[in-house]
Amino acid sequence: MSGETSRQAHIGPYRLLSRLGGGTGDVHRAAGPDGRDVAIRLLPPEAAPDIRRMREVLSPYVVDVLDGEPAGPRPYLVSRFVPGRPLAETLAEQGPMSGDALRRMAFGLAKALAAIHRTGLAHGELGPGTVLVVDDAPVVVDFALTSGASVADDVRAWAATVTFAATGRPDAPAEALPAALRPLVAAASHPDLEARPSAAELAEAASSLDLPAAPGVRTAPEPPAPRPALGPSAAPESPGAAGPAGRPAEEREPAVVRGWARLLAAMVVVIGIGVVIMAPIAGLAVTLVAVTLLRVAGTTARGWAWAFGRTLLTVPYAAVFTVAVPLGLAAVSAVGGELDSLTACAFGAGAGAAVLWTAPGVSAPRRQLERWFLPVARRPRAVAAAAAGLGVLCLVAGVGAMTLTPSFSPTYGLQGTLESSMDRLQHAVDGS
């Protein structure tokens, strides 16, 4: 299809932009009616994908299926456009994978298959051509398009794809693989289909592979963890656990998952600051309790005494900002404008709350929030709902903080003292 024809052609409500590749039907980049960047795969007449179940596959390692027409004269499937490169191209440029990059590939592919298998589907064509590499992590595409595919076949395909990633050849001998990976590949390639592990078992074992990095080969930035084990004895890592290199497990998540978790955590902090501005005394008390609880949740050994002590050490740091902001606003009022005393004090309390949540040298509460949001960030629909809900609360908190008169309940005496003190300060500034 020529470039001009591609720009003008439509399939359903989707406008074709450019051709991406072949495989099971041609693939085109397209624009949806809402402007969304999508990929459309034209399917052969004999294909009969179960689009409803395909849309239920939710994993950062599997492309999101959005729409499609499985029947009719021109069947097609619509998925999110993935800006990655095929695994074969990545290896052709960078060479075989090793170390953390190989572990991440093996783990991501197994997690992708596990997500597909949970819906009762099978991939059927897993291989270097249906694996894209995005931010050093795999994203599986073109799944469940062929008839007769089985879960056991997918597991065998996992072994061949991982072997290809490690050696550049899908049929390389076991001796060419790292020693820690050989038992896993051998189990997945077992002649007896019933003896092969499930994709979930492969993912559990691959998450703790300890693979050596080849000299001069770039690897993904995650630390290795303990040796693998298939079966119930292999326990999954806790969200906050750190590997031998001392880096937390959340850093082994794909960049997009970490980004969503950070955004959701930041939205919670913004809501908390807005609440403090509307109700400074009660809001600061709740903030102190919240950050202490988050510190407790983020440590496995130090407990309450350590968490409470860290919070107390942060209080003078926050108090400086709580006092400095109203004084700064009073100074600004001297060159023009009016200053509402209670509002100035409320913004000072908001600044102090911001320090308690996240400031240079104060990151533990925010990081724990990010860890809590990681399971949500791994699921596209869940993260969309969470972002929408928190976004509305952020808007409400922001509007309330800017328009409502702050309430210093239950310390009304303090409210009067602050108001009179700020008024005297403003008069002194104005008269100087």
Side-chain angles (χ1 to χ4, degrees):
M1 180 180 292
S2 67
E4 181 63 27
T5 303
S6 174
R7 285 192 292 272
Q8 300 300 325
H10 284 72
I11 294 182
Y14 300 94
R15 180 167 56 91
L16 303 186
L17 302 176
S18 61
R19 189 173 185 274
L20 297 175
T24 305
D26 289 340
V27 185
H28 297 265
R29 188 170 182 174
D34 56 355
R36 180 184 295 188
D37 202 2
V38 301
I40 292 186
R41 178 171 289 281
L42 306 181
L43 302 174
E46 65 273 12
D50 188 337
I51 294 177
R52 180 188 63 80
R53 281 201 288 178
M54 294 171 76
R55 294 182 64 176
E56 294 175 358
V57 177
L58 301 177
S59 169
Y61 301 105
V62 183
V63 67
D64 297 327
V65 172
L66 308 174
D67 192 9
E69 177 55 62
R74 206 178 188 187
Y76 64 89
L77 187 72
V78 182
S79 62
R80 175 175 55 87
F81 174 73
V82 179
R85 300 178 61 194
L87 176 60
E89 290 185 14
T90 302
L91 263 62
E93 179 180 307
Q94 302 176 1
M97 294 181 173
S98 65
D100 295 334
L102 181 57
R103 181 196 61 79
R104 188 170 189 174
M105 177 60 62
F107 171 75
L109 293 178
K111 289 289 284 185
L113 290 179
I116 295 170
H117 295 170
R118 277 196 299 270
T119 65
L121 300 174
H123 190 291
E125 291 188 337
L126 182 68
T130 57
V131 176
L132 302 180
V133 180
V134 182
D135 293 333
D136 294 319
V139 177
V140 171
V141 299
D142 299 341
F143 63 94
L145 298 180
T146 58
S147 302
S150 72
V151 169
D153 291 337
D154 281 352
V155 171
R156 175 65 183 86
W158 175 90
T161 306
V162 171
T163 298
F164 177 83
T167 65
R169 295 171 48 198
D171 58 349
E175 293 73 20
L177 297 172
L181 186 58
R182 293 172 195 168
L184 224 52
V185 170
S189 307
H190 199 284
D192 182 358
L193 276 58
E194 298 295 329
R196 294 175 186 173
S198 67
E201 289 173 327
L202 287 174
E204 187 176 1
S207 68
S208 54
L209 281 170
D210 187 0
L211 302 176
V217 175
R218 182 181 64 87
T219 61
E222 297 87 14
R227 305 273 303 182
L230 273 176
S233 60
E237 294 174 307
S238 62
R247 296 179 65 183
E250 62 267 21
E251 293 188 12
R252 295 196 287 275
E253 295 285 351
V256 66
V257 174
R258 299 198 306 271
W260 274 113
R262 288 169 183 165
L263 175 61
L264 295 177
M267 294 171 80
V268 170
V269 172
V270 169
I271 294 168
I273 294 172
V275 170
V276 170
I277 293 175
M278 290 185 284
I281 303 302
L284 282 174
V286 171
T287 299
L288 286 168
V289 172
V291 297
T292 302
L293 290 174
L294 286 168
R295 284 192 170 96
V296 172
T299 180
T300 58
R302 295 171 178 171
W304 278 96
W306 176 86
F308 187 67
R310 289 289 296 177
T311 300
L312 286 180
L313 288 175
T314 311
V315 168
Y317 187 8
V320 171
F321 286 83
T322 302
V323 174
V325 167
L327 294 179
L329 292 174
V332 170
S333 70
V335 297
E338 297 182 359
L339 173 68
D340 180 83
S341 302
L342 292 181
T343 300
C345 293
F347 275 99
V355 171
L356 291 172
W357 274 112
T358 175
V362 184
S363 62
R366 173 181 55 81
R367 288 189 179 277
Q368 183 59 26
L369 274 179
E370 292 173 9
R371 295 188 191 106
W372 283 358
F373 277 120
L374 281 175
V376 177
R378 297 188 191 106
R379 298 156 50 203
R381 293 179 185 175
V383 76
L390 290 175
V392 171
L393 293 177
C394 280
L395 179 62
V396 171
V399 172
M402 298 300 296
T403 60
L404 297 179
T405 301
S407 170
F408 285 77
S409 173
T411 55
Y412 295 106
L414 176 62
Q415 176 176 332
T417 301
L418 289 172
E419 191 169 16
S420 61
S421 299
M422 288 298 297
D423 286 342
R424 288 196 298 272
L425 176 63
Q426 186 174 13
H427 291 320
V429 171
D430 292 340
S432 61

